[in-house]
Amino acid sequence: MANASATILSWITDEVDQALKLVRDDIAKFAAEPGDVAVLKPVPEHLHQVAGALRMVGLSGATRFCEEIEGGFAGLNGARPSSQAVGVIDKAVLALREFVDGLERGQANVPLRLFPVYRELKTLQGKGDAAEKDLFYPDLALAAPPHANPRPLAREALAPYLQAQRSQFQRGLLGALRKLPNGPQEMKLALDALHQVAAQLPEPQALWWVAGGLVDALQDPPDADWLGKAKALCNKIDFQLRDLAAGGQAVNEVVLREVLYAVAKCRPGTPRLKEIRQLYQLDSLFPGAELSGVMEFDMDWLGPALSDMRSRLEALKGMWLHYVSGEPKSAARFRELVASFKAKAGEVGSVPLVKLLDAIALVSTRLPDPYPQQNQFMVIEMASAFLLAESVIENFTGPAGDTEQQIGIMGGWLLDAAKGRSSGEPPAGLRADLSERIGALQLRAQVAKEIVANLQHVEQVLDGFARDPAKRDTLGGLAPHLRQIHGALMVLRFEAAARALATCERMVAACTKPDHACTDEDMDWIAEGLSSIGFFLDPCLQGREPATQAIELFFHRYDKAHVPVLQRDRDATVVLTATDLKSAATAAEVIAAAVAEPPAPKARPEVNRELLDIFLEEAGEVLGSIDGALAQCRAQPQDRDVLTTIRRGFHTLKGSGRMVGLMDLGEVAWEVEQVMNRWLEMKWPASGDLLELIASSSAAFGGWITKLREGSLAGEIDAKAIFEFAARLKLAGEPVAAPAPVAAPVPIPEPEPVAEVPVAEVPVAAEPPVAAEPVLDFILAQVQAPAQEPEEVVIGETRVPRHMYDIYMKEAHQHVATLEAQCEGWLREHGEPAHEFVRAAHTLASSSHTAGFAPLVALAGALEQWMPVARLTAIDDGKVVQGAI
């Protein structure tokens, strides 16, 4: 039945919907209580009822699909099914329900739309023989054209006549197999003779007329696979002739369906083939074929409509980016944009796009709010759906024949991802070109993630050196990280970003030399270059194109400031630098610097007007994310993911502020980020003081951003309260009590009114306080401790105070346990060690250095530097090979 009428469907729709709802309810009960297999017992009976109803109204393809679902349960034999099996069956039931409902709404009866899920059902049962032709159901009741010269035969003459035609058909088939020129012609003559007497043969009488088209196609096969199957079909036709000649009174209609499928899959190169395709409307039986009429659109109207859809897609991508960035209420806004986009696609008549947006809309109802920052939840899957939506729009007037099938596969992948069941790999059945693009997105996102992790480590080391030049020896350890980053950028063919990194590498290499003096300006340029690479890569983490403007702006500013030096670089490849950084000479000076007022302001790069608006927009979004996470943090002070979100927000404000030229704002953000780093490293819950610092800093940033947006922020910002508060928290010990109710934010004085000057001339804040290292905690403890000399532990030539040794050993055991657990899990699952491994090695090296255990510093440092190499450097067939050294 090609197209079921709404009247006939109305007889069964309610019954089918009710039965399928009962099936899904039973599956949901089982999912909630996997041990209770009894709840699934009624399911096969419900499905059998549905199959009977579908068969009654002639929906053969849907019936076959339903029987396959029923077979999935029957094959369990009362055993408890796996969660994967139940998930596939549930998806199949939902697909069948939507298919029947669509038919009632007037949708064409194209059972092949169900094929992607049908294939999963077959695989679930251990059968690898799923084929499209299983769900290919043309209307076999259609009568073939009568022969121009029909030939009536007496009953007794029919059997010898059929046997003679079979002999001729066999000779022709043998000749065709031997590639003799007269082989197909002999076959056609036999089939034509059968067509002459078709009125005296059993149904389906059209077989002999249609088979003539199959023989035509044998002379111009589309491919070897088709040819092999066509030859097998010819053998089946021969068997039908054998049975008829022996007096059989039935013809297998499955053979006619298979012949029609073969005709549908070949080129319509002869009049017979064209007539067959036209009579049975074969093209309409494949997903997407119902869109063949869109070529008739008025392009004067369609052009603006497509432009509007492109804009809506870009808006949807942008809101998704806000969501994955943790912006509050963005999930709800994303759902609204999907709904409005879907309505517009319906107005334009894009059935495939509506279906794809249906899937996205369904998934959007399952989105966790806020976005789970600890992983890349649905990043690749949603980016892939956007790619397919883009393809549908760009090929609107000439869609691919498998568009609807591709949308079905994509929808299933999205649903799996929303339920946490996606492996991240493109599902089977996606077009090769789409799978290739998705693979490229995955590779880029994975490598970008590794690069960003390396960049964060490099920035931390450089920040420590900038505030304490005595740490110059730590710069030498950056070389492997920088080489890894450079290699990864080249793998991704990000040549401009690699050049920016090379510029930073030269400056870092110069700073490693003991007799070289690094200026604040040098460090600022290094920081800006690395930040520009980070901003360049950020979109890649969400499956988007890199932000090329970030690298272009860096080179524009850098070249403008270094023209004379660059001229010398052509000969020397060394960037010359100026005066030495000043730093505290003793621990007492370091502590004093951490709590003192910032020194007098100094000249910094001017604010870039081109990026100021972008910075202001992004800063507003980041502050919204911080405030949303802050509310969660008050309710759940132990939630490390929320603290990580806040730290990431201030890290972004630091990098973007420096990049635009607002160095003072960047340094304030840096101070708060360092406090957040310490809290996360020590695995402390959020204390009342920490929450107060976050709230105060966010409020202060909000005020500064507002004034920048109004163009009224001029002169030096006053961040003294934040600097002092952050310094105290960096030197404080572990919070001993649960977070107290958060007091009102520390008031941040507004900038004193001064004469209006352009934003580009805004001086920046003073040099920020020196970062508090673990050794400062110890020194401060000694300053505040009683005068009594603490007990010491002596190991070799190393002498460590008893209380510090006890703290060190407790933490060291924890870090070693983390390293062992992560390594065991990695070896067992062949996956990627979590960030916990690198962090544990880094922290162990740091605390061992503080305690004075040099061999442990070297070993833990080697582990930390080895891990990025282990999981980054091998690329095989376009995919990152984890764990390659």
Side-chain angles (χ1 to χ4, degrees):
M1 179 168 154
N3 288 290
S5 71
T7 301
I8 295 177
L9 282 170
S10 66
W11 298 346
I12 67 158
T13 302
D14 289 341
E15 178 185 359
V16 168
D17 279 347
Q18 183 179 2
L20 292 180
K21 182 179 183 302
L22 291 173
V23 171
R24 298 200 74 211
D25 288 345
D26 290 340
I27 290 175
K29 291 175 185 176
F30 175 77
E33 296 289 341
D36 188 6
V37 185
V39 299
L40 297 177
K41 187 175 181 180
V43 170
E45 182 59 33
H46 295 321
L47 291 170
H48 190 71
Q49 176 187 355
V50 171
L54 296 173
R55 187 181 298 108
M56 181 178 68
V57 296
L59 295 174
S60 303
T63 302
R64 173 69 182 271
F65 184 82
C66 185
E67 290 171 343
E68 203 65 37
I69 304 175
E70 186 181 350
F73 276 102
L76 296 174
N77 295 320
R80 185 169 69 88
S82 66
S83 59
Q84 178 189 6
V86 172
V88 171
I89 293 174
D90 185 47
K91 182 163 61 173
V93 172
L94 178 60
L96 179 59
R97 185 176 180 180
E98 291 178 347
F99 180 83
V100 176
D101 289 344
L103 294 180
E104 189 181 30
R105 295 193 302 268
Q107 195 173 69
N109 180 18
V110 184
L112 276 172
R113 289 202 299 265
L114 298 168
F115 181 71
V117 188
Y118 174 83
R119 180 172 47 205
E120 291 186 54
L121 286 170
K122 297 286 280 187
T123 302
L124 183 64
Q125 299 173 42
K127 303 174 183 177
D129 58 347
E132 276 192 337
K133 66 181 181 181
D134 295 350
L135 297 180
F136 182 77
Y137 281 89
D139 187 358
L140 301 186
L142 295 170
H147 197 280
N149 298 301
R151 182 177 181 179
L153 290 175
R155 178 177 298 181
E156 62 274 10
L158 185 58
Y161 182 88
L162 294 175
Q163 185 57 53
Q165 305 315 316
R166 184 193 179 203
S167 297
Q168 184 172 13
F169 184 83
Q170 287 179 326
R171 286 196 305 271
L173 179 57
L174 183 59
L177 293 175
R178 294 176 177 176
K179 298 184 179 180
L180 300 177
N182 64 334
Q185 185 60 29
E186 290 245 24
M187 296 170 69
K188 285 194 68 175
L189 288 173
L191 292 170
D192 187 71
L194 291 166
H195 186 202
Q196 282 185 297
V197 299
Q200 296 175 258
L201 299 178
E203 293 288 348
Q205 297 171 350
L207 173 61
W208 318 110
W209 176 73
V210 173
L214 177 67
V215 176
D216 282 350
L218 286 175
Q219 301 175 68
D220 184 25
D223 54 52
D225 181 66
W226 182 95
L227 182 59
K229 292 176 180 177
K231 289 176 179 177
L233 264 179
C234 289
N235 285 328
K236 291 184 179 181
I237 294 171
D238 176 52
F239 296 152
Q240 293 293 309
L241 277 170
R242 177 199 63 191
D243 293 342
L244 288 177
Q249 295 299 311
V251 174
N252 188 349
E253 73 173 27
V254 174
V255 176
L256 177 56
R257 280 202 301 115
E258 291 186 9
V259 174
L260 286 170
Y261 181 80
V263 169
K265 287 295 186 178
C266 72
R267 288 181 284 270
T270 67
R272 174 68 62 87
L273 288 169
K274 291 177 182 177
E275 289 175 39
I276 296 171
R277 292 167 78 106
Q278 179 63 32
L279 174 64
Y280 289 97
Q281 294 291 294
L282 297 184
D283 291 339
S284 69
L285 300 180
F286 292 87
E290 65 269 26
L291 301 176
S292 58
V294 298
M295 291 291 289
E296 304 301 321
F297 275 117
D298 178 0
M299 294 307 295
D300 290 339
W301 168 84
L302 184 59
L306 293 178
S307 178
D308 177 66
M309 287 202 291
R310 292 186 189 98
S311 298
R312 290 174 183 271
L313 179 58
E314 288 305 312
L316 197 61
K317 291 179 184 177
M319 188 51 61
W320 177 256
L321 182 60
H322 292 325
Y323 169 65
V324 299
S325 299
E327 181 180 338
K329 301 181 180 179
S330 54
R333 180 62 180 145
F334 180 77
R335 286 191 286 270
E336 293 172 2
L337 289 180
V338 173
S340 63
F341 191 5
K342 177 184 168 185
K344 185 64 178 180
E347 293 174 11
V348 175
S350 179
V351 176
L353 192 54
V354 168
K355 291 180 179 178
L356 179 57
L357 291 170
D358 268 335
I360 296 176
L362 178 60
V363 166
S364 71
T365 64
R366 300 170 178 259
L367 294 177
D369 194 6
Y371 180 79
Q373 296 289 347
Q374 68 272 21
N375 56 38
Q376 288 190 301
F377 173 73
M378 288 196 71
V379 165
I380 294 299
E381 292 86 354
M382 191 61 74
S384 302
F386 291 151
L387 280 178
L388 184 55
E390 185 179 274
S391 174
V392 171
I393 294 172
E394 296 308 317
N395 297 284
F396 189 85
T397 58
D402 65 346
T403 297
E404 189 159 346
Q405 178 186 358
Q406 296 298 304
I407 288 172
I409 296 172
M410 185 64 70
W413 193 25
L414 287 173
L415 286 171
D416 282 345
K419 296 175 183 178
R421 296 203 298 253
S422 172
S423 65
E425 293 298 320
L430 279 183
R431 284 198 304 262
D433 62 323
L434 192 57
S435 294
E436 184 178 348
R437 294 183 69 184
I438 294 171
L441 286 181
Q442 289 177 305
L443 172 63
R444 196 163 62 186
Q446 177 64 33
V447 177
K449 181 181 177 182
E450 300 292 347
I451 294 174
V452 169
N454 274 279
L455 282 174
Q456 290 175 349
H457 172 73
V458 171
E459 288 176 344
Q460 291 282 24
V461 173
L462 289 169
D463 280 334
F465 168 67
R467 287 157 176 78
D468 184 2
K471 296 181 178 180
R472 186 187 296 270
D473 59 341
T474 63
L475 299 184
L478 296 181
H481 295 275
L482 293 171
R483 284 197 301 271
Q484 291 158 17
I485 295 171
H486 188 276
L489 290 172
M490 294 306 295
V491 165
L492 296 177
R493 298 184 180 179
F494 291 158
E495 287 86 358
R499 289 200 306 273
L501 182 72
T503 300
C504 297
E505 282 184 281
R506 289 197 298 270
M507 289 188 284
V508 171
C511 291
T512 62
K513 299 177 180 178
D515 58 346
H516 183 81
C518 295
T519 66
D520 289 347
E521 184 179 5
D522 292 331
M523 299 306 297
D524 287 341
W525 281 117
I526 294 173
E528 182 172 340
L530 296 178
S531 293
S532 70
I533 297 171
F535 280 105
F536 172 83
L537 292 171
D538 273 347
C540 298
L541 300 176
Q542 282 82 44
R544 301 170 67 230
E545 294 298 316
T548 56
Q549 187 184 20
I551 300 297
E552 292 170 358
L553 176 64
F554 169 71
F555 277 120
H556 172 75
R557 289 163 53 80
Y558 185 82
D559 291 350
K560 183 178 179 181
H562 294 76
V563 171
V565 178
L566 289 175
Q567 183 64 40
R568 293 194 297 273
D569 277 353
R570 293 190 179 97
D571 301 320
T573 69
V574 175
V575 178
L576 302 180
T577 55
T579 59
D580 291 333
L581 287 169
K582 294 182 179 180
S583 64
T586 66
E589 289 175 343
V590 173
I591 296 174
V595 297
E597 288 190 22
K602 57 189 176 184
R604 297 288 182 95
E606 67 178 20
V607 175
N608 182 275
R609 292 180 178 277
E610 295 179 39
L611 285 189
L612 182 59
D613 290 340
I614 298 175
F615 165 75
L616 294 176
E617 180 181 354
E618 181 187 53
E621 296 170 358
V622 171
L623 289 174
S625 174
I626 291 173
D627 291 341
L630 179 60
Q632 290 181 269
C633 205
R634 289 192 173 104
Q636 298 177 309
Q638 301 282 353
D639 193 329
R640 291 174 53 78
D641 292 335
V642 179
L643 288 175
T644 301
T645 298
I646 295 172
R647 187 207 71 84
R648 185 182 296 110
F650 283 105
H651 176 79
T652 300
L653 290 174
K654 175 195 75 174
S656 57
R658 287 174 171 177
M659 184 176 171
V660 176
L662 296 168
M663 306 304 293
D664 48 352
L665 298 186
E667 297 307 322
V668 176
W670 183 89
E671 285 295 327
V672 183
E673 181 190 2
Q674 296 307 298
V675 176
M676 299 303 302
N677 284 340
R678 183 168 188 241
W679 243 255
L680 287 167
E681 182 176 333
M682 303 303 293
K683 299 182 180 180
W684 289 343
S687 66
D689 283 345
L690 180 69
L691 297 176
E692 184 177 344
L693 173 67
I694 296 167
S696 301
S697 302
S698 179
F701 265 95
W704 297 328
I705 297 305
T706 298
K707 290 187 175 297
L708 278 170
R709 192 173 283 120
E710 296 170 351
S712 61
L713 179 60
E716 179 182 339
I717 67 169
D718 186 350
K720 179 180 178 181
I722 294 178
F723 281 130
E724 292 179 347
F725 200 177
R728 289 200 303 273
L729 290 186
K730 284 190 288 186
L731 297 175
E734 178 178 1
V736 294
V742 181
V746 174
I748 306 298
E750 293 290 337
E752 292 295 329
V754 295
E756 293 285 338
V757 295
V759 175
E761 299 176 15
V762 176
V764 290
E767 181 71 17
V770 177
E773 296 295 321
V775 69
L776 301 186
D777 295 336
F778 165 61
I779 296 173
L780 186 61
Q782 297 301 302
V783 172
Q784 297 173 343
Q788 180 180 354
E789 184 72 15
E791 179 185 356
E792 286 188 333
V793 174
V794 180
I795 300 177
E797 298 181 357
T798 303
R799 308 173 72 88
V800 186
R802 165 64 63 183
H803 75 279
M804 182 177 175
Y805 175 78
D806 291 342
I807 294 173
Y808 166 78
M809 289 301 296
K810 179 181 178 181
E811 292 185 356
H813 281 299
Q814 293 173 348
H815 297 322
V816 171
T818 298
L819 291 171
E820 290 177 342
Q822 291 295 322
C823 190
E824 288 175 2
W826 182 28
L827 294 174
R828 181 174 61 253
E829 301 176 8
H830 304 288
E832 176 184 345
H835 178 64
E836 296 291 333
F837 186 99
V838 178
R839 183 171 58 190
H842 175 78
T843 309
L844 181 59
S846 177
S847 58
S848 298
H849 178 75
T850 301
F853 300 132
L856 289 177
V857 174
L859 180 58
L863 278 176
E864 179 189 2
Q865 293 181 16
W866 165 78
M867 184 50 59
V869 180
R871 58 185 180 180
L872 179 64
T873 54
I875 305 293
D876 182 21
D877 291 336
K879 295 182 179 179
V880 175
V881 178
Q882 303 294 341
I885 302 177

